[in-house]
Amino acid sequence: MSTTAPATTTPATTTPAPLPVDDTDAFGEEVLGDPGPFHAALRDAGPVVHLSRYDVYALGRYEQVHAALVDWQAFASGAGVGLSNFRREPPWRPPSLLLETDPPHHDAPRVVLEKVLSPRALRRLREQWAADARDLVDEVLREEEFDAVPAIAEAFPLRVFPDAVGIGTEGREHLLPYGDHLFNAFGPANSLVARGAPRRAEHGAWVDAQCAREALRPGGFGAAIWAAADRGDITPAQAPLVVRSLLSAGVDTTVQGLAALLHAVATHPAQWARLRAEPRLARVAFDEAVRWASPVQLFFRTATGDVRIGGAVVPDGEKIVMFLGAANRDPRRWERPDEFDLGRDPSGHVGFGMGLHQCVGQHVARLEAESVLQALLERVETVELAETPRRHLNNTMRAWASLPLRVRRR
Ligand code: OVV
């Protein structure tokens, strides 16, 4: 499946290495349903591979994915972190001030959001979220069998996160479809994008309306962002877009992070037993689940010049896709990468990215996951799949539609 094409630029003295070519549809249903074989082929083909179908350059190895993530000068975000190149086509929504920008524009919004979502700022939520998780899990455990996607993975973030942001209670059903379309839109304009397109304006208008100062309750993350605008840390024009990032990146991601964790423990009974014996492993369990499943599978960058990667050259202005999910299972970096293993140290995984743009909401995600896992550990003896789980296909998220579980209570 891999052939070799000559690289485009060939300086006389430093001949670029040959560039492997792969014509697989990286966003086709076959790969989205089971990306493992494609990821392995990509990693084995070389440090960088040309994906001929989309005319983009792909990184599947941990070393190069990590290197690209931390080199924001050479690998820019400002032209978009999806397939679409904002230098050539207009974005479908005003670009995010966090995700789709580079320094120096990126920095003020980042500093503001880092403070708003810091472990310190989240301390006041810990008790409440622990209680919310216990209530939810008590409700769910009235049945021995339930679908953990709607019952827990969706229900918990939807119960705690919009309240923490401080939006109203009306219209919250827009959050998941908005996020689903957003994450599809980082990929090509395939049938998944077409399916979301008819209602994207409706979801987008609702989300945008929640970002106004008047829409945000005092005490929440949203109000804290507006307070930063009042202090002059960001401009009043920036504030609503920073709030929008919370509503964009904070829901589907944590839903699928929780789903990944629940899937992991349901399919690894020995690891569940270990967690029961050592609840302090709850923290590492979530990070290992994020490494193992990589709910966010990929992001793109744009080359800001002719960029050398492993001896090959990516030409100026071209798009580079970083397969986070492939890097997180690269055997060059991880021992037995396909095993969900609480004995390993998953730190350094790129499931939250790395470098300047590394997930600013990761402490929120960890707190949500720990709250839910703790409540389950207190109440559940064993957990297993009751039926075959069902994937939800998305161009950039590795997601579950359904995760039927059977539990035995303590
Ligand atoms: C990491 C992420 C995903 C989706 C949207 C955003 C960020 C945003 O900032 O809007």
Side-chain angles (χ1 to χ4, degrees):
M1 65 176 261
S2 280
T3 55
T4 295
T8 44
T9 50
T10 312
T13 48
T14 52
T15 309
L19 185 62
V21 178
D22 189 321
D23 67 359
T24 308
D25 183 357
F27 299 93
E29 288 200 3
E30 201 176 314
V31 171
L32 295 182
D34 179 20
F38 170 66
H39 287 170
L42 207 57
R43 288 188 305 254
D44 291 345
V48 55
V49 177
H50 186 243
L51 295 184
S52 52
R53 183 143 182 150
Y54 297 106
D55 189 19
V56 297
Y57 298 79
L59 313 179
R61 294 184 186 174
Y62 180 89
E63 182 187 342
Q64 280 75 33
V65 167
H66 184 278
L69 283 167
V70 298
D71 186 356
W72 57 266
Q73 290 96 333
F75 298 89
S77 292
V81 298
L83 174 63
S84 164
N85 189 331
F86 296 173
R87 296 178 191 173
R88 298 174 191 162
E89 51 182 341
W92 73 274
R93 58 171 205 167
S96 162
L97 301 183
L98 278 301
L99 184 72
E100 296 158 327
T101 54
D102 298 298
H105 311 290
H106 163 268
D107 301 336
R110 172 76 193 203
V111 168
V112 165
L113 206 49
E114 234 162 56
K115 262 197 209 118
V116 171
L117 303 179
S118 68
R120 199 191 142 76
L122 300 182
R123 277 200 301 230
R124 67 186 175 85
L125 293 171
R126 183 171 278 273
E127 275 310 302
Q128 184 60 50
W129 286 11
D132 288 334
R134 288 191 290 264
D135 287 350
L136 177 68
V137 168
D138 277 335
E139 282 166 47
V140 170
L141 292 183
R142 285 192 210 135
E143 310 284 344
E144 249 167 47
E145 288 187 25
F146 52 87
D147 186 342
V149 169
I152 298 179
E154 292 181 349
F156 188 72
L158 287 174
R159 183 175 291 201
V160 301
F161 187 70
D163 283 346
V165 175
I167 64 172
T169 52
E170 288 287 300
R172 292 179 176 191
E173 67 279 4
H174 288 288
L175 286 166
L176 285 173
Y178 179 81
D180 188 48
H181 184 72
L182 171 64
F183 280 93
N184 275 326
F186 293 124
N190 57 16
S191 60
L192 293 170
V193 171
R195 205 179 57 196
R199 300 193 64 188
R200 82 175 187 200
E202 186 193 326
H203 301 312
W206 179 85
V207 165
D208 290 347
Q210 309 314 304
C211 300
R213 184 199 290 270
E214 308 72 49
L216 293 155
R217 208 178 26 73
F221 300 145
I225 290 166
W226 276 101
D230 292 339
R231 290 194 302 271
D233 296 347
I234 51 173
T235 69
Q238 289 177 312
L241 279 172
V242 176
V243 178
R244 193 192 66 178
S245 282
L246 292 181
L247 300 178
S248 300
V251 187
D252 299 60
T253 50
T254 49
V255 167
Q256 293 303 331
L258 278 170
L261 176 62
L262 295 169
H263 176 244
V265 295
T267 52
H268 295 76
Q271 301 304 307
W272 178 256
R274 191 169 176 178
L275 264 174
R276 292 278 324 282
E278 289 174 79
R280 287 197 344 211
L281 288 172
R283 227 159 214 274
V284 83
F286 180 59
D287 269 277
E288 172 63 352
V290 172
R291 181 200 68 81
W292 184 68
S294 302
V296 176
Q297 285 274 291
L298 57 93
F299 272 125
F300 289 73
R301 295 289 188 258
T302 308
T304 58
D306 291 352
V307 177
R308 260 189 167 325
I309 304 173
V313 171
V314 174
D316 182 28
E318 296 302 309
K319 282 275 172 172
I320 299 135
V321 52
M322 308 173 294
F323 285 97
L324 309 175
N328 279 339
R329 291 195 181 208
D330 183 356
R332 295 158 192 79
R333 168 65 178 78
W334 310 97
E335 276 173 44
R336 296 166 286 98
D338 295 330
E339 287 178 28
F340 173 76
D341 179 5
L342 299 179
R344 82 165 80 240
D345 176 7
S347 62
H349 75 73
V350 291
F352 287 127
M354 195 57 73
L356 200 65
H357 290 279
Q358 192 183 36
C359 181
V360 73
Q362 61 185 286
H363 309 294
V364 182
R366 288 205 183 93
L367 186 57
E368 288 186 31
E370 270 182 75
S371 307
V372 169
L373 191 54
Q374 211 57 56
L376 286 168
L377 285 167
E378 287 162 9
R379 290 161 179 77
V380 173
E381 186 87 39
T382 62
V383 50
E384 61 185 351
L385 292 179
E387 278 174 62
T388 310
R390 196 159 41 79
R391 286 280 171 195
H392 170 79
L393 298 191
N394 182 285
N395 279 335
T396 48
M397 293 207 62
R398 186 107 177 101
W400 291 108
S402 168
L403 197 58
L405 299 185
R406 181 182 307 114
V407 299
R408 193 147 51 79
R409 292 202 60 148
R410 294 179 68 168

